[in-house]
Amino acid sequence: MEKETLPDERPAANVRGSFSGNDFRPDGEMGLGAVDLERIEKVYRKLDLRIIPAFWTLYFLCSAIRSNVGLAQTMNLAEEHDLGSVLNITPKQISTGLALFYVCYVIFDLPSNLIMTRLSPRVWMSRIVIAVGIIGSCMTAMRAAWSFYLLRLLLGIVIAGMWPGMAYYLTLFYPPSRTGKRIGQYFTAAQVSAAVVSLVSAGFQKMDGLQGLVGFQWMFLLYGLVGICVGISLLWWLPDRPLPPGETPDRTGLSKWLPKSRPALTGEDALIHYEDLTRVYRRPKWTLIDLWHVVIDWRVWPLFLMYFGVVGVGIGVQNYATVIIRGTNADLTGIELSLLAAPIWIMDLIAILIVTPFSDRFHHHRALFFSVPVCIQIVGLLMTTYAGSIANPWPRYGGLLLVGFGLGPTVPITMTWTNEVFQSRHGEVGVAAASALVSGLGNLGSILTTYALFAGWPADAKKGRTQYRKSTLVMVGILCLSILSAVAMTLLLKYVGSGPTAKQVSSGSSTSEGEGVVVDGAARRELQERGFGRLWWSRRS
């Protein structure tokens, strides 16, 4: 089968040249064959230092602002300065407000990500963080159920597209073989955020009553203000999409009034990246027909079901961690509950750092790297449901720690698999649309766990040994669905997904759809970088 050639496509090996000042001159003296692999690795490490810290910081703050309402439910309980008491709302109304956020997230995720492909990704990510900070600060002024509902709706609208947008942004700078580990790196911000916010909330509870604000109001206000500052800084911090060497960005329209960001790479580094990853410098305009081909691609739906289960459980535990812990031991104070929530996310962080690098190397076994942690979550939920006793509830808490460990790598693996499959078949619009569909529709699981379970299920929230038992068993059920979907995805890719590829393919892809077409230097090395190759014990000194 012949390769489909894009109008502006050129083999990477033919793009050779040097720099004089800001000008690129072809000279035939430089090609990937002449560039040492360590030199290429150094280029990607420079990209890491520019992109990953910025992503980690923005994701840390947005995760804190999105989820700190869960902690507010149990802050300063003894003084009746918790969220429910101050706003005079019931646990069911709180669960409704939590779910409204995800309703908007589901609706606006895809449009937000598609807009990002047309505009400057740097500016769009900055817009998201600034808006999240503003809404987060405004939550300080909530006084009744209607304001709680309104601000949660607005927060869902403005934050939509952040998570899939970050995954899409990475594909502008990295080949699929390199994205999984990096998604895992900045995804750790959510876990560190959950742990830190839990710990710091103990301090906010000590500020209760200061300047007329209760503890959780100080938490909303300060996180929101920091978020606004970080969002503005991203206009200088994040690089815009890469351009061919020597080409300057278009500074027309609104962009001429915005701060100019330094290029991600310059000089010889920019040339090496151009030769190594030619595919990202081709930017064909997508049409509604291209978008429709992504939407009807059957590969979206197993990935969506995988994400549905794991993100539903993750958000459910994040929003109700202190509520679940209090259900196992009603004698715990608000500060103790906050401190006990933190280790759950430390376990989550550890699992990400261990598993995601190996899931990239052994990419043909992504379903296995996904399913084993999901099984650990199931064991942890069953322990939380049935282990221990009234006299000794700590085994149930141990189950929550297992849930945290199992949650860690599942979301990064799902998003990496999505990028890998859809970049090869549909190009830029495939990554943007598929990641938004998987993330957006997958958050239907978040709506289920925040609205219908735990505090949202009054009959299941009755105090006693069986409190929240039905809710945890429902989460076990949707996790089983995720495992079945991962297995189905693997089998379907192997036996059904062998049709012709679209646009561009990198060799060694986990799509398992033939040998693929080598489009650039990164594609040529994907098989070399997989498996046990170039691990520390196999490198030559």
Side-chain angles (χ1 to χ4, degrees):
M1 182 180 68
E2 293 185 357
K3 173 185 173 184
E4 178 184 344
T5 304
L6 296 173
D8 56 341
E9 181 176 356
R10 291 178 295 173
N14 292 335
V15 185
R16 298 173 182 170
S18 60
F19 282 87
S20 176
N22 293 323
D23 297 324
F24 170 69
R25 297 199 310 263
D27 59 17
E29 295 178 359
M30 184 177 177
L32 278 176
V35 179
D36 183 78
L37 185 56
E38 290 300 325
R39 181 71 178 85
I40 296 172
E41 294 292 331
K42 186 177 179 180
V43 169
Y44 283 109
R45 285 196 292 270
K46 286 186 177 180
L47 285 174
D48 290 344
L49 291 174
R50 183 73 184 278
I51 296 171
I52 302 303
F55 269 21
W56 197 96
T57 303
L58 75 88
Y59 198 50
F60 177 96
L61 285 166
C62 287
S63 295
I65 294 168
R66 177 191 67 192
S67 61
N68 57 17
V69 68
L71 286 167
Q73 296 177 80
T74 56
M75 291 176 64
N76 298 110
L77 278 168
E79 297 83 6
E80 295 188 345
H81 287 171
D82 58 286
L83 181 69
S85 299
V86 172
L87 272 61
N88 194 28
I89 56 179
T90 65
K92 182 63 178 179
Q93 288 176 304
I94 293 175
S95 67
T96 301
L98 292 174
L100 285 174
F101 167 88
Y102 294 103
V103 171
C104 291
Y105 195 95
V106 169
I107 294 172
F108 290 98
D109 220 23
L110 177 59
S112 177
N113 227 32
L114 293 178
I115 291 172
M116 187 175 179
T117 68
R118 297 294 199 189
L119 304 179
S120 162
R122 165 184 66 103
V123 174
W124 195 247
M125 292 305 299
S126 175
R127 190 279 306 167
I128 288 174
V129 181
I130 293 171
V132 168
I134 292 172
I135 301 299
S137 297
C138 289
M139 291 181 73
T140 307
M142 294 186 302
R143 291 293 181 269
W146 71 266
S147 56
F148 177 53
Y149 292 160
L150 175 62
L151 289 173
R152 289 294 293 181
L153 279 168
L154 291 175
L155 187 61
I157 293 172
V158 300
I159 204 173
M162 179 192 66
W163 172 242
M166 294 166 77
Y168 159 73
Y169 185 100
L170 277 193
T171 64
L172 301 178
F173 294 91
Y174 300 94
S177 60
R178 295 178 182 269
T179 58
K181 181 176 74 173
R182 287 163 176 86
I183 290 175
Q185 286 172 347
Y186 66 71
F187 187 63
T188 60
Q191 286 63 51
V192 175
S193 174
V196 170
V197 169
S198 297
L199 293 171
V200 174
S201 69
F204 283 122
Q205 291 179 71
K206 294 293 186 180
M207 297 172 66
D208 188 61
L210 185 64
Q211 298 296 318
L213 299 178
V214 301
F216 75 78
Q217 290 173 329
W218 278 111
M219 179 173 66
F220 291 156
L221 178 62
L222 294 180
Y223 280 121
L225 292 176
V226 174
I228 293 170
C229 295
V230 169
I232 294 172
S233 74
L234 291 176
L235 291 170
W236 290 270
W237 194 352
L238 279 176
D240 235 323
R241 65 172 67 246
L243 295 172
E247 185 175 319
T248 57
D250 182 17
R251 299 276 295 173
T252 59
L254 181 61
S255 63
K256 67 182 179 182
W257 302 103
L258 295 172
K260 186 177 180 180
S261 176
R262 291 184 300 107
L265 298 167
T266 57
E268 187 178 285
D269 290 335
L271 176 57
I272 291 173
H273 187 256
Y274 182 77
E275 292 199 24
D276 191 58
L277 198 58
T278 311
R279 76 191 85 158
V280 306
Y281 292 91
R282 298 192 300 261
R283 195 188 172 197
K285 294 291 185 180
W286 57 267
T287 65
L288 289 177
I289 294 176
D290 296 322
L291 177 60
W292 177 246
H293 287 159
V294 177
V295 172
I296 63 174
D297 193 323
W298 61 264
R299 296 160 188 81
V300 169
W301 308 108
L303 291 163
F304 147 61
L305 292 174
M306 289 168 58
Y307 198 86
F308 174 89
V310 296
V311 82
V313 172
I315 295 300
V317 172
Q318 188 174 47
N319 284 325
Y320 290 114
T322 55
V323 175
I324 296 170
I325 296 170
R326 189 165 184 254
T328 66
N329 189 346
D331 296 329
L332 296 170
T333 67
I335 292 177
E336 289 171 336
L337 290 170
S338 296
L339 296 175
L340 285 170
I344 299 171
W345 309 111
I346 294 173
M347 295 292 289
D348 196 314
L349 170 64
I350 292 171
I352 291 174
L353 297 177
I354 292 173
V355 177
T356 53
F358 285 96
S359 74
D360 271 355
R361 289 187 170 273
F362 301 96
H363 64 112
H364 286 297
H365 303 290
R366 289 208 192 274
L368 180 64
F369 283 102
F370 175 87
S371 299
V372 171
V374 174
C375 289
I376 293 174
Q377 291 179 60
I378 291 173
V379 172
L381 286 171
L382 292 175
M383 285 180 61
T384 302
T385 305
Y386 295 107
S389 62
I390 295 177
N392 181 23
W394 294 108
R396 298 177 70 183
Y397 175 71
L400 276 179
L401 296 180
L402 281 181
V403 173
F405 186 87
L407 280 170
T410 52
V411 169
I413 288 173
T414 306
M415 295 305 292
T416 302
W417 207 356
T418 302
N419 288 353
E420 205 165 38
V421 170
F422 283 86
Q423 187 182 61
S424 67
R425 296 191 60 83
H426 300 282
E428 184 173 313
V429 68
V431 174
S435 59
L437 285 170
V438 170
S439 170
L441 295 177
N443 269 286
L444 292 171
S446 303
I447 296 174
L448 170 67
T449 55
T450 54
Y451 179 74
L453 304 184
F454 298 106
W457 192 347
D460 195 40
K462 293 180 180 178
K463 297 186 182 298
R465 175 66 180 159
T466 61
Q467 187 178 29
Y468 304 134
R469 177 170 292 182
K470 293 177 182 177
S471 296
T472 54
L473 291 178
V474 170
M475 292 203 295
V476 168
I478 63 175
L479 288 176
C480 290
L481 176 64
S482 291
I483 294 174
L484 292 174
S485 300
V487 173
M489 183 69 174
T490 302
L491 295 177
L492 288 170
L493 285 175
K494 183 174 183 180
Y495 296 109
V496 178
S498 56
T501 57
K503 309 239 175 181
Q504 52 225 339
V505 178
S506 58
S507 64
S509 158
S510 65
T511 60
S512 300
E513 297 185 41
E515 295 299 319
V517 179
V518 176
V519 297
D520 49 29
R524 275 189 286 274
R525 286 196 319 280
E526 290 216 352
L527 290 178
Q528 177 185 349
E529 294 290 315
R530 305 295 183 132
F532 290 103
R534 290 188 55 75
L535 286 171
W536 65 269
W537 63 75
S538 61
R539 294 181 183 179
R540 295 181 179 178
S541 59

